[in-house]
Amino acid sequence: MSITPIVATGFDEVVDLFADGYTILRGAADASKIAEIEADLADRYDATPFCEGGFYGERTKRFGRLLIHSPHMADLVLNPAILAITEAALGSWCDRIQLNLAQAIEIHPGALAQFPHRDQDMWAGEIGRVEYLVNVMWPLTPFTRENGATLIWPGSHGAEALSREVKCDPIVAEANPGDAIVFLGSTLHGAGSNRSTGVRRGIIISYCLGWLKPYENQWLAYPPEIARTFPAELSALAGYAQHRPNLGNFEGQCPSVLFRGYPTDPLAAIDALRPDQSAMLSEHVGRQRAEPAGGEAS
Ligand SMILES: O=C(O)CCC(=O)C(=O)O
């Protein structure tokens, strides 16, 4: 395994994540809160049509924008243990992480096993040395071998993603509401087939490098009038923060400026730079200021 996160964490889960490509955090959230989320989403599950196409699954329902469907979702997205693991896992490659997706999934009896895939393949970046994403599957109903628990191929991550050969059998991520099934964007995985008589419900929350295009368009899912009601950490995850230098700005400023309404007057563009860039810039500016008027920068 060639990838080692640079950030020192002390979290065994991060070690497991990079050793095996996945880890399961038992009891990461309060099961009663998960039950409240399931209740909040119930009507939406009922109203949502089945997906079309073999990847999404024709016996599967999915819907996004989960932060608007349950007030308890914010706590799940901001789960401190998950954020710590994710920041440790991805922090070597970005200045800040962002929310990639918050999607509810309901797999009905008769659903076929999903095509095994790696979520990182949605981005055409270098494979094998960079991790782009951390996925967290939160079961709303128990996940069992019979009802289609997520299948995960241990050790299929990192440089192994360059190999076309699958070297082992998948593990069945059996888990209960409150548990968090965490895996890397480079880890081969997919939903299992549902051979039971009940539905398998879960929520997938993923986080990616802050400079990538997220899978779910966060600014459309949560426009400023909605995102302004979020806690600051959550709105930043949902795209209302710049990724230094200056990425995702609005008129040269942090997009959270829109929480005060669309500005009627022109705004000043304000540098949002990393410390190393600020240092280089200070030197560049300082040198010119120190020169006699009319002098040329070298
Ligand atoms: O539902 C699952 O267990 C996995 C879902 C998944 O990997 C996907 O939809 O991309």
Side-chain angles (χ1 to χ4, degrees):
M1 179 57 238
S2 65
I3 298 172
T4 312
I6 292 167
V7 182
T9 63
F11 281 97
D12 290 347
E13 292 84 359
V14 183
V15 175
D16 291 346
L17 192 56
F18 278 87
D20 301 328
Y22 80 101
T23 186
I24 302 180
L25 273 63
R26 304 286 173 189
D30 191 342
S32 67
K33 283 277 168 240
I34 301 292
E36 288 183 60
I37 292 176
E38 193 190 6
D40 291 341
L41 302 184
D43 288 348
R44 187 75 184 195
Y45 270 121
D46 288 345
T48 300
F50 282 106
C51 304
E52 296 179 22
F55 181 76
Y56 278 150
E58 292 174 355
R59 295 285 298 152
T60 298
K61 294 183 176 185
R62 295 169 190 266
F63 56 93
R65 301 185 75 203
L66 296 190
L67 287 162
I68 65 162
H69 293 305
S70 169
H72 305 295
M73 276 302 301
D75 284 347
L76 211 56
V77 173
L78 294 174
N79 181 288
I82 296 292
L83 286 184
I85 290 170
T86 303
E87 280 167 1
L90 301 181
S92 308
W93 296 289
C94 65
D95 193 40
R96 58 163 61 246
I97 59 165
Q98 65 181 329
L99 187 59
N100 181 62
L101 170 73
Q103 186 185 67
I105 302 180
E106 183 179 69
I107 300 189
H108 282 244
L112 304 175
Q114 191 184 26
F115 182 75
H117 58 283
R118 294 178 168 89
D119 287 346
Q120 69 178 11
D121 290 344
M122 62 189 143
W123 297 294
E126 183 188 6
I127 292 175
R129 292 201 316 127
V130 179
E131 283 299 334
Y132 298 92
L133 173 124
V134 170
N135 244 317
V136 186
M137 173 61 90
W138 293 94
L140 297 183
T141 58
F143 275 25
T144 66
R145 182 178 290 275
E146 287 70 37
N147 75 7
T150 310
L151 303 176
I152 297 176
W153 279 260
S156 61
H157 60 298
E160 282 300 318
L162 292 162
S163 164
R164 296 197 67 81
E165 192 190 344
V166 179
K167 296 182 182 142
C168 64
D169 291 330
I171 62 107
V172 180
E174 292 194 308
N176 287 311
D179 297 343
I181 304 164
V182 184
F183 48 99
L184 293 169
S186 60
T187 304
L188 193 65
H189 70 280
S193 59
N194 188 343
R195 291 169 279 109
S196 77
T197 53
V199 295
R200 192 220 76 174
R201 282 181 172 169
I203 284 176
I204 198 142
I205 298 176
S206 56
Y207 310 83
C208 67
L209 303 181
W211 44 265
L212 284 170
K213 180 170 187 168
Y215 181 88
E216 181 176 39
N217 186 317
Q218 299 298 318
W219 290 306
L220 294 179
Y222 311 113
E225 61 276 17
I226 290 175
R228 69 196 285 269
T229 66
F230 293 168
E233 194 182 1
L234 184 61
S235 61
L237 277 173
Y240 292 88
Q242 293 180 84
H243 186 284
R244 297 179 297 179
N246 304 320
L247 267 183
N249 75 78
F250 175 85
E251 294 279 23
Q253 292 201 11
C254 178
S256 62
V257 72
L258 293 174
F259 294 168
R260 301 196 296 267
Y262 272 80
T264 46
D265 294 327
L267 298 176
I270 303 174
D271 286 337
L273 305 176
R274 293 192 312 261
D276 59 309
Q277 295 169 319
S278 290
M280 278 193 301
L281 185 70
S282 296
E283 199 197 321
H284 173 79
V285 171
R287 201 170 51 236
Q288 292 178 77
R289 287 199 174 129
E291 283 169 358
E296 286 292 310
S298 56

